[in-house]
Amino acid sequence: MNLKGRKVILLGTGEMADAKKRLYERAGAELTDDEMTVDAALAVVAIEGDAAALAAVERLKARGLLVNAVDRSQFCDYTTPAIIDRDPVLVVIGTGGASAGLAKAVRQRLEQLLPANLGGLARALHGARDRIRQIWPTGPDRRRAIDAALDPGGPLDVMTERSEADLETWLAMPLAEQLSEVVDLELSSSDPDELTIRQARLLGQADQIFSSPDVPEVILQRARADAERFELSFWDEQPTQGLALRIRMKP
C-alpha cells in the first residue's frame, strides 16, 4: 500500500509501538494517536495489555478501518512483513503473522547476501531500457538476454557488486548467441521444495517445457506462467528458440 502523505492511527507506547512508528514513517505515512481521525488509511494497535488492546481493535474495526494488532495475529486484518530495502528494490518476508521473529531472522540472513548497490543496478537497468530494446527488439529475446546477464556468474550477477560500468560492458557485447538451449532435467522427488537451485532457476526461465506424464503439476507450477507446455512425446528434435526443458522423473 502506498502510504505517502496518508494518515495512520498508531495506538500504544513502548518498544512495539516505536518499531511500528519507524516502519510507517519510512513508508511516508503521517502518524497520529487520535483514534477518531476521520481520514485514516489504516490503524495499528501496539498496546501491551490484552484487554485494552482488544477493546481498541474492536472500536477501530467498528469504524471500518483495517487494523494491525501487534503480536495478536488472530485479530489482524493485515500484517507487516520484514523488509530488506535496496531502493528501489524491496524484498519482503512475511509469515502471515505466524512468527515475526522468524521473518526477522530470514531478513537478517538475506541482508548479508544481497549487495548494497543492488538498487543502483536496478536504476541503471531502468535508465538503459531504450538501448536494451534496440539491441533486443522482441520481448522474448529481451527477457532471455536479461535473464542470462543476471544469472549466477553472468555479467550482471545480482549476488555480486555490480556497477554502471558492468552494464555498459554487457550492452557493448550482448550475449545473443546464448539464447537457444535444450536442457534435460531428471527429478528424483515429486516435492517442489526439493528442487535444486539450478532446477528451480531453469523452470523460472524456460520458454518451452516438455514433460513426461509422471511429472507432478506442483513441479510444473514453478515454471514461468507464460512458458509453453507440451507432453514429452511431442519432442521432435527440431531446433528451438530460447530455453527448452525436457523433464522426466528418475526411475
Side-chain angles (χ1 to χ4, degrees):
M1 177 175 285
N2 183 358
L3 293 176
K4 288 184 179 179
R6 304 183 71 182
K7 293 179 181 178
V8 173
I9 297 170
L10 173 59
L11 303 182
T13 58
E15 185 177 333
M16 292 192 309
D18 289 344
K20 292 295 184 182
K21 182 174 184 290
R22 290 191 295 270
L23 175 67
Y24 284 86
E25 285 181 339
R26 187 169 65 180
E30 296 179 8
L31 294 172
T32 176
D33 60 1
D34 179 4
E35 66 177 85
M36 299 309 296
T37 300
V38 175
D39 55 348
L42 298 170
V44 181
V45 175
I47 298 173
E48 293 284 353
D50 286 341
L54 296 182
V57 168
E58 289 178 1
R59 291 194 302 271
L60 292 164
K61 288 189 175 187
R63 292 183 46 205
L65 285 168
L66 296 177
V67 179
N68 174 252
V70 181
D71 277 353
R72 299 174 178 90
S73 59
Q74 68 272 35
F75 300 108
C76 287
D77 296 310
Y78 71 96
T79 58
T80 53
I83 297 173
I84 301 173
D85 191 348
R86 297 286 191 272
D87 185 38
V89 179
L90 289 178
V91 180
V92 299
I93 302 99
T95 64
S99 173
L102 176 60
K104 181 178 74 172
V106 174
R107 175 186 62 78
Q108 290 172 338
R109 294 288 184 91
L110 293 179
E111 282 271 18
Q112 300 171 14
L113 297 175
L114 295 177
N117 72 340
L118 187 60
L121 176 60
R123 287 188 291 273
L125 284 166
H126 181 267
R129 285 186 305 174
D130 289 342
R131 293 167 62 192
I132 291 172
R133 286 178 179 275
Q134 290 174 358
I135 296 171
W136 296 283
T138 68
D141 283 351
R142 197 160 50 245
R143 179 188 55 74
R144 286 189 288 267
I146 293 172
D147 284 351
L150 297 174
D151 264 356
L156 302 178
D157 185 341
V158 296
M159 301 305 285
T160 59
E161 293 284 346
R162 294 298 181 185
S163 66
E164 201 162 328
D166 295 309
L167 177 65
E168 292 297 327
T169 300
W170 172 60
L171 292 175
M173 297 183 294
L175 306 178
E177 69 276 6
Q178 298 182 8
L179 295 180
S180 294
E181 186 179 6
V182 178
V183 177
D184 286 302
L185 293 184
E186 279 200 343
L187 307 180
S188 57
S189 170
S190 59
D191 185 347
D193 291 334
E194 294 187 11
L195 290 167
T196 67
I197 293 175
R198 175 177 179 271
Q199 289 168 343
R201 176 172 57 82
L202 289 170
L203 278 166
Q205 295 176 348
D207 299 284
Q208 296 179 320
I209 294 177
F210 296 83
S211 58
S212 59
D214 57 346
V215 175
E217 178 64 22
V218 290
I219 296 285
L220 299 177
Q221 286 175 355
R222 296 294 179 96
R224 284 174 41 219
D226 58 344
E228 293 184 281
R229 291 196 199 178
F230 306 94
E231 289 188 10
L232 190 57
S233 59
F234 284 91
W235 178 258
D236 60 4
E237 302 293 342
Q238 294 298 313
T240 62
Q241 175 149 6
L243 175 60
L245 297 185
R246 297 185 296 194
I247 307 177
R248 304 173 176 85
M249 299 301 297
K250 284 186 177 179

